[in-house]
């Protein structure tokens, strides 16, 4: 017996967790000097209000790591019941929070030496992680063992690509993702970087477009070149409070690739939204590689 965990940075919601059997770890952010825990401090994600707050400007939000004790509070009840844990999480390369988790596990190991925590690092965040979480969630529902899931993940994690663009680069600039000159220059003349998550789980600017439509076309060119067996997997479209732009992107996708794809729209979670800002659009799909 084992318990499946994920975190809010994967875009998994309480409803999706209930459907697939996950327990959800809340990753906090600070806004207006208040630390907020998604789906703990609120039941429903009012993303429109959240992103409107970001549109208003300073002070910009920040994100925080969990403490070791918070991880203990999540994991110990499962170990007490004699269950192991499989934690499907966002990219370890993007955060220091997993250092705190390691400390928590060292303490728990002393109390529960027979229990184990296994990890699937999705090497992504938001949509890229969500696509993997949903696949693993279905395997969990189908009764697959931890070993079967880990074997699947060894190959498949690197085959779920995510490409996206951010509308206002100041958010990435603040988090160190885009250099100051690039952020300023891009916002002035309408250059939008195409960003992806690589096989190391880090965020890279891989291309650029002038304006939204050209940037969408650049993203779709990556989908065309990299897609593998895409019709047999979910195609996830994410947006940061800009559903109209997501619909525009979906229309362009269908014009390029046709019908017959399992397309889902999802909203970028608030913790990741602190870094990407409002009005961004992205896609996650099954690929030859990232």
């Amino acid at each position: 017996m084992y318990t499946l965990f994920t975190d809010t940075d994967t875009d998994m919601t309480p409803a999706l967790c209930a459907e697939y059997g996950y327990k959800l770890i809340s990753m906090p952010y600070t806004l207006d000097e208040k630390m907020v825990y998604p789906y703990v401090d609120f039941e429903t994600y009012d993303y429109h209000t959240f992103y409107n707050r970001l549109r208003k400007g300073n002070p910009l939000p920040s994100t925080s790591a969990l403490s070791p004790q918070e991880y203990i509070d999540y994991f110990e009840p499962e170990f007490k019941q004699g269950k192991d844990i499989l934690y499907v999480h966002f990219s370890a390369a993007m955060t220091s929070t997993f250092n705190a988790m390691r400390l928590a596990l060292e303490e728990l190991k002393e109390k529960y030496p027979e229990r184990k925590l296994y990890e699937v690092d999705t090497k992504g965040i938001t949509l890229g992680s969500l696509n993997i979480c949903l696949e693993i969630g279905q395997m969990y529902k189908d009764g697959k063992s931890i070993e079967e899931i880990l074997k699947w993940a060894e190959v498949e994690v690197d085959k779920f690509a995510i490409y996206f663009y951010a509308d206002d680069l100041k958010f990435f600039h603040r988090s160190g993702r885009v250099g100051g000159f690039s952020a300023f220059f891009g916002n002035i003349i309408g250059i939008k970087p195409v960003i992806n998550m690589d096989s190391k789980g880090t965020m890279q600017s891989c291309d650029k477009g002038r304006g939204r439509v050209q940037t969408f076309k650049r993203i779709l060119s990556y989908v065309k070149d990299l897609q593998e067996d895409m019709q047999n997997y979910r195609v996830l479209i994410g947006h940061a409070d800009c559903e109209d732009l997501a619909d525009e992107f979906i229309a362009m996708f269908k014009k390029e690739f046709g019908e017959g794809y399992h397309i889902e729209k999802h909203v970028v979670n608030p913790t990741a939204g602190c870094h990407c800002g409002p009005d961004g659009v992205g896609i996650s799909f099954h690929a030859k590689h990232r």
Side-chain angles (χ1 to χ4, degrees), residues 33-263:
E33 300 183 350
K34 179 183 177 183
M35 185 172 287
V36 182
Y37 287 81
Y39 304 115
V40 174
D41 293 331
F42 55 78
E43 293 183 4
T44 303
Y45 175 25
D46 183 0
Y47 65 87
H48 185 62
T49 297
F50 172 79
Y51 282 110
N52 268 343
R53 174 62 189 81
L54 268 57
R55 290 182 178 100
K56 293 178 182 178
N58 291 323
L60 294 178
S62 60
T63 56
S64 304
L66 293 180
S67 69
Q69 184 58 52
E70 287 173 307
Y71 280 110
I72 289 171
D73 292 342
Y74 278 113
F75 296 149
E76 187 168 19
E78 308 308 314
F79 286 168
K80 274 186 177 179
Q81 296 179 49
K83 296 180 180 179
D84 290 333
I85 291 171
L86 176 60
Y87 180 16
V88 187
H89 58 70
F90 77 106
S91 174
M94 297 182 67
T95 179
S96 64
T97 193
F98 296 112
N99 294 330
M101 187 181 80
R102 308 287 176 235
L103 294 174
L105 290 173
E106 288 178 12
E107 183 174 335
L108 288 171
K109 188 67 175 177
E110 294 180 3
K111 296 175 67 175
Y112 308 96
E114 296 181 356
R115 300 277 59 83
K116 294 181 179 180
L117 182 140
Y118 301 87
E119 298 175 57
V120 173
D121 185 342
T122 63
K123 302 180 186 178
I125 196 168
T126 70
L127 291 179
S129 298
L130 178 60
N131 226 339
I132 295 167
C133 283
L134 295 176
E135 292 290 331
I136 290 176
Q138 187 60 53
M139 294 175 72
Y140 179 77
K141 288 177 68 175
D142 291 342
K144 301 296 184 182
S145 67
I146 288 179
E147 291 74 21
E148 288 174 303
I149 292 173
L150 292 177
K151 184 176 180 180
W152 175 90
E154 285 179 4
V155 175
E156 290 295 325
V157 162
D158 286 335
K159 290 196 167 192
F160 285 89
I162 176 171
Y163 286 79
F164 62 98
Y165 90 99
D167 184 67
D168 189 337
L169 302 186
K170 70 182 179 185
F171 295 95
F172 277 119
H173 170 46
R174 186 175 184 275
S175 63
R177 302 301 180 186
V178 180
F181 178 77
S182 297
F184 176 76
F185 190 68
N187 282 342
I188 291 296
I189 67 172
I191 297 296
K192 307 296 184 186
V194 177
I195 301 167
N196 80 310
M197 298 292 299
D198 63 20
S199 60
K200 297 178 182 178
T202 58
M203 197 176 293
Q204 304 292 331
S205 178
C206 61
D207 206 338
K208 61 182 181 295
R210 186 184 297 275
R212 183 182 72 255
V213 173
Q214 188 185 91
T215 307
F216 281 173
K217 289 179 178 178
R218 294 303 303 145
I219 292 173
L220 289 173
S221 72
Y222 283 95
V223 179
K224 185 176 182 180
D225 290 343
L226 293 175
Q227 69 89 20
E228 179 183 75
D229 199 22
M230 191 166 59
Q231 285 182 309
N232 290 319
Y233 294 86
R234 297 173 184 84
V235 176
L236 303 187
I237 309 298
H239 69 90
D241 191 31
C242 53
E243 191 167 8
D244 55 336
L245 300 185
D247 288 339
E248 179 183 341
F249 183 77
I250 290 171
M252 292 177 67
F253 176 94
K254 290 182 176 179
K255 184 177 180 181
E256 177 69 32
F257 296 100
E259 302 288 342
Y261 292 89
H262 181 171
I263 299 173

